[in-house]
């Protein structure tokens, strides 16, 4: 069996404290199956030493000349992975919340052909870092919204720790939401008839930097994601034949 | 006296409208305004010119539409036009946003390719 090429896409914006640790951690893992794992850091125009650290340590990275935000940065990685014939792309936060030691858990369902999209969820087994109550309220709301629209139940729809296969890669390299893409893409995957699976994953508290979702932004977040989700649903459901997304 | 004053106002209106039209045309000629955006301004200027020459026009149209106070037709018309134009600008903005994103990504990917090639040399 030939090796499965896995791209780990790590968007980072001002993550100077965590990128090197994260890189070393990914490199030090022993995989049971034949994975060829390549971490790719997407530097989203960081204003701190992130770029220098990536360059000096000879870490494979892509520098965005203009700050695109999380969605645009992750999509750059997806485009890279798709063009360079990777079999699986994993999305991992640059702040160290997503432990690389859990990587195999989210890769295996795809390798075994059980799923097209695997979401690492911290709410299935309730282990590790569980985040704030406000975020949990939001997550329950998105769980409800997704269930109503596409009938898919995802417990941790805001989780950015995901693995996708080439079928899903093709879709997200043509369309990916700019801001807060995670809950929205569940609709995108579900309506593209992809098989979504959630696996329990233990997450850590962030090691450095600031979360992209602050308390005062929560209302905006909920509103934006609801709008995005509903419009994406309408677009895919009713314009499917002549829409390019 | 009243008559002359009214003509004065009309002449001023016509002069300003023509100056405005000239300004728009200059911008297009210089390439500072794309034709598709100048369209709405040319129509605006043409309407202004029409109503500065045809002085009773506003009253005629207002009474046709059943509007008792003719100047309110101006406000309604102007507001409507402004809202439509703002929506148009938002659409243009969204399109450009998407284009910039795609260009940025393409450029970043190409740069990465180039760096990898140079490293191999």
């Amino acid at each position: 069996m030939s090796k499965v090429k896995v791209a780990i896409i790590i968007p980072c914006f001002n993550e100077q404290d965590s990128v090197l640790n994260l890189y070393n951690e990914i490199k030090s893992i022993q995989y049971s199956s034949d994975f060829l794992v390549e971490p790719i850091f997407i530097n989203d125009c960081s204003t701190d030493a992130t770029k220098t650290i990536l360059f000096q340590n000879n870490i494979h990275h892509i520098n965005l000349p203009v700050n695109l935000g999380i969605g645009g940065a992750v999509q750059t990685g997806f485009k890279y992975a798709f063009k360079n014939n990777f079999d699986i792309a994993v999305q991992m936060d640059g702040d160290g919340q997503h432990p690389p030691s859990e990587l195999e858990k989210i890769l295996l369902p795809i390798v075994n052909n059980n799923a097209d999209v695997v979401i690492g969820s911290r709410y299935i087994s309730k282990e590790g870092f569980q985040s704030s109550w406000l975020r949990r309220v939001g997550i329950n709301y998105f769980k409800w919204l997704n269930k109503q629209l596409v009938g898919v139940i995802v417990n941790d729809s805001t989780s950015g720790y995901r693995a996708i296969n080439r079928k899903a890669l093709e879709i997200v390299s043509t369309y990916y939401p700019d801001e807060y893409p995670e809950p929205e893409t569940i609709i995108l995957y579900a309506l593209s008839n992809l098989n979504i699976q959630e696996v329990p994953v233990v997450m850590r508290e962030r090691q450095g930097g600031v979360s992209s979702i602050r308390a005062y932004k929560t209302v905006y977040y909920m509103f934006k994601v609801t709008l995005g989700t509903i419009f994406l649903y309408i677009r895919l459901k009713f314009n499917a034949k002549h829409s390019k997304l | 006296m009243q008559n002359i004053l009214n003509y004065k106002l009309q002449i001023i209106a016509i002069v300003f409208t023509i100056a405005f039209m000239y300004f728009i045309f200059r911008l297009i000629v210089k390439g500072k305004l794309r034709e598709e955006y100048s369209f709405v301004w040319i129509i605006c200027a043409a309407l202004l010119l029409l109503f500065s020459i045809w002085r009773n026009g506003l009253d005629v149209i207002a009474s046709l539409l059943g509007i008792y106070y003719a100047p309110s037709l101006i406000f309604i018309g102007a507001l409507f036009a402004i809202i439509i134009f703002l929506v148009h600008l938002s659409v243009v903005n969204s399109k450009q946003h998407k284009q910039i994103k795609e260009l940025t990504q393409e450029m970043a990917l190409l740069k990465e390719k180039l760096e990898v090639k140079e490293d191999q040399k």
Side-chain angles (χ1 to χ4, degrees):
Chain A
M1 199 183 113
S2 64
K3 289 204 166 197
V4 179
K5 272 177 85 183
V6 180
I8 303 187
I9 295 151
I10 306 145
C12 33
F13 176 68
N14 294 350
E15 306 280 9
Q16 57 181 9
D17 304 326
S18 51
V19 279
L20 194 55
N21 285 339
L22 191 61
Y23 178 76
N24 290 331
E25 222 177 310
I26 294 168
K27 279 292 175 189
S28 66
I29 297 168
Q30 300 293 316
Y31 301 98
S32 59
S33 307
D34 282 333
F35 291 125
L36 196 73
V37 174
E38 189 185 335
I40 302 140
F41 288 77
I42 317 286
N43 173 27
D44 193 9
C45 233
S46 296
T47 49
D48 64 356
T50 306
K51 189 178 175 180
T52 327
I53 292 169
L54 290 171
F55 184 74
Q56 281 173 351
N57 294 285
N58 219 356
I59 299 171
H60 190 188
H61 66 285
I62 296 173
N63 284 313
L64 292 175
V66 172
N67 179 280
L68 289 183
I70 181 83
V74 172
Q75 196 190 24
T76 311
F78 288 150
K79 284 183 174 176
Y80 175 86
F82 188 67
K83 279 183 185 166
N84 291 282
N85 294 313
F86 281 88
D87 302 300
I88 300 174
V90 174
Q91 192 186 329
M92 189 189 274
D93 277 5
D95 58 14
Q97 266 196 86
H98 302 149
S101 50
E102 306 280 284
L103 206 56
E104 218 164 318
K105 286 187 195 166
I106 63 167
L107 288 177
L108 284 174
I110 293 185
V111 180
N112 298 331
N113 276 325
N114 290 329
D116 301 304
V117 176
V118 181
I119 300 170
S121 169
R122 78 197 95 173
Y123 300 111
I124 295 180
S125 61
K126 308 239 184 259
E127 263 182 272
F129 177 57
Q130 294 285 313
S131 80
S132 68
W133 69 270
L134 200 60
R135 182 151 183 182
R136 286 202 298 275
V137 168
I139 283 165
N140 276 322
Y141 165 67
F142 293 134
K143 185 176 160 185
W144 173 83
L145 188 67
N146 285 333
K147 198 181 145 199
Q148 298 304 313
L149 291 175
V150 290
V152 174
I153 295 177
V154 175
N155 291 296
D156 196 356
S157 56
T158 60
S159 163
Y161 200 14
R162 296 174 175 195
I164 58 175
N165 66 4
R166 275 192 77 77
K167 249 199 270 177
L169 256 186
E170 190 177 0
I171 293 163
V172 287
S173 28
T174 48
Y175 174 79
Y176 199 71
D178 286 330
E179 268 186 313
Y180 321 126
E182 286 83 12
E184 236 180 276
T185 40
I186 290 171
I187 298 278
L188 181 65
Y189 295 138
L191 289 179
S192 308
N193 292 321
L194 297 178
N195 197 350
I196 304 171
Q197 196 179 322
E198 232 181 339
V199 294
V201 151
V202 179
M203 289 198 192
R204 296 184 295 212
E205 211 155 343
R206 43 189 311 110
Q207 294 182 328
V210 187
S211 166
S212 59
I213 305 163
R214 304 250 194 93
Y216 65 89
K217 276 190 178 165
T218 309
V219 176
Y220 174 71
Y221 176 85
M222 305 269 272
F223 185 68
K224 168 81 210 285
V225 173
T226 304
L227 264 188
T229 304
I230 289 170
F231 280 114
L232 185 65
Y233 175 79
I234 293 169
R235 197 187 309 162
L236 289 172
K237 197 83 185 169
F238 302 105
N239 292 324
K241 286 189 184 73
H242 41 260
S243 93
K244 273 170 51 208
L245 283 164
Chain B
M1 189 64 196
Q2 188 64 36
N3 223 356
I4 297 167
L5 260 182
N6 274 345
Y7 276 118
K8 235 186 193 167
L9 203 63
Q10 187 176 17
I11 289 163
I12 290 171
I14 292 172
V15 167
F16 267 99
T17 311
I18 289 173
F20 180 67
M21 268 183 149
Y22 174 71
F23 176 65
I24 296 291
F25 282 128
R26 273 274 305 256
L27 283 177
I28 301 171
V29 171
K30 278 183 169 175
K32 284 188 178 170
L33 186 66
R34 289 178 60 89
E35 286 83 350
E36 62 241 57
Y37 304 128
S38 65
F39 199 63
V40 64
W41 296 117
I42 291 171
I43 290 176
C44 268
L47 279 176
L48 280 177
L49 194 63
L50 175 75
F51 285 111
S52 351
I53 295 166
W54 181 30
R55 292 181 57 192
N56 292 327
L58 200 65
D59 291 308
V60 171
I61 292 170
S63 66
L64 271 178
L65 293 172
I67 297 169
Y68 292 107
Y69 182 59
S72 63
L73 180 64
I74 298 181
F75 294 119
I76 270 214
L79 254 176
F80 191 64
I82 288 168
I83 288 170
I84 297 277
F85 193 58
L86 282 179
V87 172
H88 170 71
L89 285 184
S90 296
V91 171
V92 171
N93 200 315
S94 305
K95 191 177 145 201
Q96 285 178 339
H97 183 101
K98 196 180 162 203
Q99 287 171 332
I100 289 172
K101 188 184 92 175
E102 270 161 24
L103 280 174
T104 307
Q105 291 177 331
E106 202 64 27
M107 191 179 148
L109 290 169
L110 282 172
K111 258 168 75 186
E112 186 271 347
K113 222 176 190 175
L114 199 71
E115 276 160 18
V116 170
K117 273 233 167 87
E118 272 172 2
D119 282 349
Q120 283 168 351
K121 267 184 203 166

